[in-house]
Amino acid sequence: MEGKGKLIVISGFSGAGKGTVVKGLVEKYGYSLSVSATTRQPRPGEVDGREYYFKSVADFKNLIDYNGFIEWAQYVDNYYGTPRKFVEDELDAGRDVILEIEVQGAMNVKSQYPDAILIFITTPDRNTLEERLRGRGSEDDQTIAKRLKRAAEESESIDSYEYIVVNDDINTCIDMVNSVILSRKCAKENNLSFIAALKEDFRR
Ligand code: 5GP
């Protein structure tokens, strides 16, 4: 198999459970996870350096100027970016890295890393999404309405992704995403130099 690690981009609706899916992929299958930088305020329970690197707008802009991000985007009122060094080091070491980012970032990554794998996680339908958002019990009606509106907008971009995985049962979803990644890694196009070397080996 070809040497370098793969970039795996995971997006999905807020409430579709992509955070839990990503956590499962890291714990069960050992993927490496990129921690993003953001200018938004930490939510209760979030720890600097674990969920995000929390930055001031000035520090964030400074990092942009120094080419510190692979990609960055403005989402709602805040900036979010993928730190370059961690990702490049992990890929060079042959490890597969997951980025959990929104759609503009996903497109930006794909244009720089054409063999990145773009996966969209969704609920089976809109009602299930609404039920899950309500079931969390942590958000008021107005916030839930905002998230559903955003999900409606995001659903328009699903065609830009290469794979869509439905999160009905969480463990099935984690295994399906892993299968998608494995099958892509085994694709002929991803193994051209390996195939050439294997042929050469048999000719000798
Ligand atoms: P939240 O504020 O709910 O943690 O994240 C808001 C959105 O920003 C989510 O869709 C999340 O996937 C996305 N996001 C998180 N980190 C990054 C990043 O580094 N780059 C981009 N483009 N989006 C990100």
Side-chain angles (χ1 to χ4, degrees):
M1 297 273 169
E2 321 260 276
K4 267 189 140 196
K6 281 245 170 298
L7 262 185
I8 300 138
V9 176
I10 297 191
S11 305
F13 305 129
S14 163
K18 64 178 181 308
T20 317
V21 173
V22 166
K23 200 163 167 272
L25 287 163
V26 171
E27 284 170 4
K28 189 167 176 187
Y29 294 109
Y31 290 99
S32 176
L33 176 64
S34 161
V35 176
S36 296
T38 183
T39 58
R40 86 151 160 71
Q41 292 300 310
R43 293 183 185 133
E46 285 185 337
V47 175
D48 186 42
R50 190 178 67 188
E51 278 77 17
Y52 284 105
Y53 295 105
F54 295 100
K55 303 276 179 203
S56 66
V57 173
D59 284 353
F60 194 99
K61 288 192 168 163
N62 205 22
L63 279 163
I64 297 175
D65 290 344
Y66 282 94
N67 199 23
F69 295 121
I70 284 179
E71 62 76 37
W72 61 271
Q74 214 170 351
Y75 182 89
V76 192
D77 297 324
N78 297 297
Y79 292 105
Y80 295 84
T82 304
R84 180 179 297 282
K85 187 170 175 356
F86 174 82
V87 172
E88 288 182 347
D89 287 352
E90 290 294 281
L91 294 178
D92 285 344
R95 285 190 280 273
D96 300 328
V97 185
I98 295 179
L99 310 182
E100 185 197 328
I101 61 179
E102 50 67 66
V103 59
Q104 301 166 63
M107 299 306 115
N108 193 340
V109 167
K110 187 71 184 174
S111 67
Q112 298 175 67
Y113 298 83
D115 66 345
I117 307 171
L118 267 52
I119 304 172
F120 195 90
I121 310 277
T122 178
T123 47
D125 51 41
R126 183 196 171 283
N127 275 353
T128 313
L129 184 67
E130 182 164 358
E131 276 166 24
R132 285 197 198 159
L133 286 169
R134 293 197 185 284
R136 281 179 177 176
S138 57
E139 278 129 40
D140 55 26
D141 282 356
Q142 201 191 349
T143 311
I144 290 172
K146 254 195 206 167
R147 294 201 173 209
L148 286 170
K149 184 166 174 281
R150 178 151 286 275
E153 288 160 14
E154 286 172 348
S155 70
E156 297 296 327
S157 304
I158 294 178
D159 309 83
S160 310
Y161 288 77
E162 297 161 311
Y163 301 91
I164 177 156
V165 181
V166 174
N167 182 15
D168 203 354
D169 170 75
I170 182 71
N171 287 313
T172 310
C173 181
I174 292 165
D175 291 347
M176 278 172 75
V177 173
N178 184 55
S179 302
V180 161
I181 298 165
L182 292 184
S183 102
R184 182 64 170 269
K185 290 178 82 168
C186 293
K188 177 178 70 179
E189 301 73 46
N190 279 315
N191 292 283
L192 297 177
S193 53
F194 174 68
I195 294 168
L198 197 59
K199 284 183 179 170
E200 192 52 40
D201 197 11
F202 277 102
R203 277 187 208 119
R204 275 201 294 267

